C-alpha cells in the first residue's frame, strides 16, 4: 500500500482521535484483545491458524491466573487481506468491542491501513507484515512486528544468491509496499556486495497475464529472478515462464512459493524453485510447547504455518508486559514494558507462567519466543533466521538456514 493510500485513510482515523485513551480502568477486570487475521483472501492459508494460535495463548494466560491482575478477553475479525475490509473490522474492534490491542495483521497494506486507527486510539498494534514504511510511520512506538521486514528478506535473498553462486540477478515486484520492499532490500544488499541487478520490473495486481513484463526480464538473460510477490500473481508468472521454455532460477518469498503454488502449477513447473521464509525458534522450549498445543488443536504441526508461532508470541509477550507493568497499568505503561520482557538481559523464560513467576520475584525476564528470540530493535522489529527451501518433486525441502545482521 502506497503512502498516498495511507494518508487517504488518515481521514478514517481522524474521527477516532478524540476518543479517550483506552486504559485498564475502563475495562474492569479484563484486558480486551482484537484478533484481526486474514481468514479469507490471499492470506487465508495462514489466517485461521494465526487466529487459533492467538486463542491458545489467551487460554494459556488465563489458565495461569491472567496478567497484571486481569484476564484476557478475545474478539476476532477477518481482515479479508483487504485494506478497506480491515479498516471496517478494526473500527468495530476499537469502537464497539473497546479492545486495547489489535493483533495479527498479515499483509503490509492491511497493517498500514489499520495503523492510523490504532494510533489515534492510543492502542497497541502487532503484525507479521514486512513493509519498511510500517516502522517509519510508527511515530508513537505502538507498533510491533514479529516477522522480518522486507529489507531483511532482501538481505537474506542477497546472502542466498552469493552462497549459490548467482552472478546476474533480475527482480520482479508486485506494486505495493511489501513487494517493492523485498526487491529494494535485495538490490541494496546486492549492490553493497559489489553486484549489479540486470533488470527490474514492477507489475500491477489483478492482471490476467504478465507476459510482457516477463519478456523484459528474460531479455536481460538473468541467471536468477528475485521476486517480491504473492501467490496469485506468482502462479501466473511461473506458468507463463514455463510455457516460454526459458531456463532460469527463481528466489521467491515463502508466502508465494508454498504448497498451494505446487498444487496450482504441478511439480514439474515448480521443480528447483528456491522458497525463502523465516523459520521459528525451533530448538526452544517455547516452540516445543506451542507446537504440541497447536498440533492438538488443529491436527497440523506448527511448522506448517510460520505465522501461527508469531501470533502466539504476540499474546505471550503482551501478557508478560502487562504483568511487568502491574495492576491498573495503562496501555501506554504496558507498551513501555514490551522490550523489557522480550530483550536481553534477563532470565530466559519460555512460557507465560514461567515469566510470571520470575516477575513476582522482581526478576528481569527475557522471553525467548516460539517464533524467534524476539529481541525488538528501536523500531519494534525483530530479526529471525531464514530457511532456504527447494521445491523437489513437489515438496518443499529445507536445505539451509541463513542468519543476517541488520
Amino acid at each position: 500500500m502506497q503512502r498516498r493510500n495511507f494518508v487517504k485513510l488518515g481521514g478514517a482515523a481522524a474521527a477516532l482521535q478524540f476518543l479517550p485513551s483506552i486504559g485498564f480502568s475502563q475495562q474492569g477486570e479484563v484486558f480486551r484483545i482484537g484478533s484481526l487475521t486474514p481468514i479469507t483472501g490471499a492470506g487465508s492459508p495462514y489466517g485461521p491458524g494465526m487466529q487459533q494460535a492467538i486463542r491458545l495463548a489467551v487460554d494459556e494466560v488465563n489458565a495461569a491466573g491472567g496478567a497484571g491482575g486481569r484476564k484476557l478477553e478475545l474478539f476476532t475479525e477477518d481482515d479479508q487481506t483487504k485494506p478497506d475490509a480491515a479498516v471496517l473490522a478494526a473500527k468495530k474492534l476499537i469502537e464497539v468491542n473497546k479492545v486495547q490491542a489489535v493483533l495479527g495483521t498479515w499483509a503490509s497494506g492491511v497493517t498500514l491501513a489499520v495503523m492510523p486507527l490504532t494510533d489515534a486510539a492510543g492502542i497497541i498494534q502487532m503484525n507479521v507484515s514486512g513493509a519498511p514504511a510500517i516502522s517509519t510511520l510508527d511515530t508513537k512506538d505502538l507498533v510491533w512486528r514479529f516477522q522480518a521486514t522486507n529489507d531483511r528478506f532482501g538481505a537474506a535473498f542477497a546472502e542466498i544468491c552469493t552462497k549459490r553462486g548467482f552472478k546476474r540477478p533480475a527482480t520482479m515486484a508486485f506494486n505495493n509496499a511489501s513487494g517493492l520492499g523485498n526487491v529494494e532490500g535485495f538490490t541494496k544488499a546486492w549492490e553493497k556486495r559489489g553486484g549489479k541487478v540486470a533488470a527490474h520490473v514492477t507489475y500491477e495486481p489483478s492482471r490476467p497475464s504478465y507476459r510482457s513484463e516477463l519478456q523484459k526480464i528474460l531479455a536481460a538473460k538473468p541467471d536468477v529472478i528475485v521476486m517480491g510477490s504473492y501467490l496469485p500473481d506468482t502462479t501466473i508468472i511461473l506458468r507463463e515462464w514455463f510455457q516460454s521454455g526459458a531456463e532460469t532460477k527463481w528466489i521467491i518469498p515463502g508466502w508465494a512459493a508454498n504448497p498451494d503454488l505446487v498444487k496450482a502449477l504441478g511439480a514439474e513447473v515448480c521443480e528447483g524453485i528456491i522458497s525463502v521464509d523465516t523459520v521459528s525458534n525451533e530448538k526452544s522450549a517455547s516452540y516445543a510447547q506451542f507446537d504440541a498445543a497447536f498440533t492438538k488443536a488443529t491436527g497440523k504441526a506448527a511448522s506448517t504455518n510460520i505465522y501461527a508461532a508469531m501470533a502466539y508470541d504476540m499474546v505471550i509477550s503482551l501478557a508478560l508486559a502487562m504483568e511487568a507493568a502491574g495492576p491498573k497499568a495503562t496501555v501506554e505503561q504496558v507498551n513501555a514494558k514490551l522490550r523489557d520482557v522480550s530483550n536481553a538481559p534477563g532470565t530466559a523464560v519460555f512460557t507465560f507462567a514461567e515469566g510470571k513467576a520470575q516477575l513476582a520475584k522482581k526478576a528481569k525476564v527475557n522471553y525467548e519466543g516460539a517464533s524467534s528470540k524476539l529481541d525488538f530493535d528501536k523500531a519494534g522489529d525483530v530479526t529471525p533466521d531464514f530457511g532456504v527451501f527447494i521445491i523437489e518433486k513437489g515438496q518443499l525441502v529445507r536445505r539451509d538456514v541463513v542468519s543476517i545482521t541488520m
Side-chain angles (χ1 to χ4, degrees), residues 54-253:
I54 290 171
R55 190 176 301 278
L56 287 170
V58 166
D59 290 345
E60 179 183 331
V61 171
N62 286 340
R70 305 293 197 271
K71 290 294 183 76
L72 302 182
E73 186 175 5
L74 180 62
F75 299 85
T76 62
E77 292 289 338
D78 175 15
D79 67 30
Q80 302 178 40
T81 330
K82 296 178 180 178
D84 291 346
V87 166
L88 293 176
K91 283 172 68 67
K92 176 183 177 294
L93 289 171
I94 296 168
E95 296 178 354
V96 178
N97 302 127
K98 306 296 184 184
V99 300
Q100 294 143 286
V102 173
L103 278 55
T105 50
W106 182 78
S108 293
V110 166
T111 298
L112 288 166
V114 168
M115 278 175 59
L117 306 180
T118 55
D119 184 77
I123 65 176
I124 294 165
Q125 205 284 330
M126 294 178 167
N127 65 81
V128 296
S129 307
I134 292 168
S135 298
T136 58
L137 293 169
D138 175 25
T139 59
K140 295 183 180 178
D141 196 32
L142 287 167
V143 180
W144 304 87
R145 190 196 318 248
F146 288 69
Q147 169 66 305
T149 58
N150 289 127
D151 52 353
R152 285 170 168 84
F153 265 92
F157 292 164
E159 176 66 17
I160 293 163
C161 280
T162 299
K163 292 182 73 172
R164 293 186 167 268
F166 295 122
K167 304 293 185 184
R168 192 175 171 80
T171 60
M172 296 186 72
F174 188 101
N175 190 14
N176 72 357
S178 177
L180 291 169
N182 265 12
V183 300
E184 288 168 358
F186 166 75
T187 299
K188 180 179 178 181
W190 186 248
E191 290 179 346
K192 188 175 181 180
R193 293 167 181 256
K196 293 184 178 180
V197 174
H200 168 73
V201 166
T202 299
Y203 60 88
E204 300 302 322
S206 304
R207 295 275 299 276
S209 173
Y210 294 103
R211 282 192 176 88
S212 61
E213 293 90 344
L214 184 61
Q215 288 171 358
K216 180 179 178 180
I217 286 293
L218 293 176
K221 300 187 182 303
D223 54 4
V224 65
I225 299 173
V226 176
M227 298 290 284
S229 59
Y230 295 95
L231 178 62
D233 44 292
T234 301
T235 303
I236 296 170
I237 290 169
L238 288 179
R239 181 182 291 117
E240 293 176 340
W241 161 75
F242 187 76
Q243 291 169 350
S244 76
E247 293 186 7
T248 188
K249 297 294 184 181
W250 296 84
I251 296 178
I252 304 175

Side-chain angles (χ1 to χ4, degrees), residues 60 64 285 320 347-360 365:
E60 179 183 331
L320 287 171
T347 301
V349 296
F350 302 93
T351 67
F352 171 73
E354 187 180 357
K356 183 175 181 177
Q358 289 294 323
L359 288 168
V365 302

Side-chain angles (χ1 to χ4, degrees), residues 281 283-292 312-313 349-351 367-372:
N281 193 11
K283 295 181 180 180
S284 68
S286 49
Y287 180 81
Q289 172 167 303
F290 170 65
D291 183 35
Y312 172 83
D313 281 344
V349 296
F350 302 93
T351 67
Y367 174 57
E368 299 281 346
S371 60
S372 73

Side-chain angles (χ1 to χ4, degrees), residues 314-332:
M314 291 175 188
V315 178
I316 301 301
S317 58
L318 177 61
L320 287 171
M322 290 171 59
E323 189 70 23
K328 298 183 180 180
T330 65
V331 170
E332 183 179 9

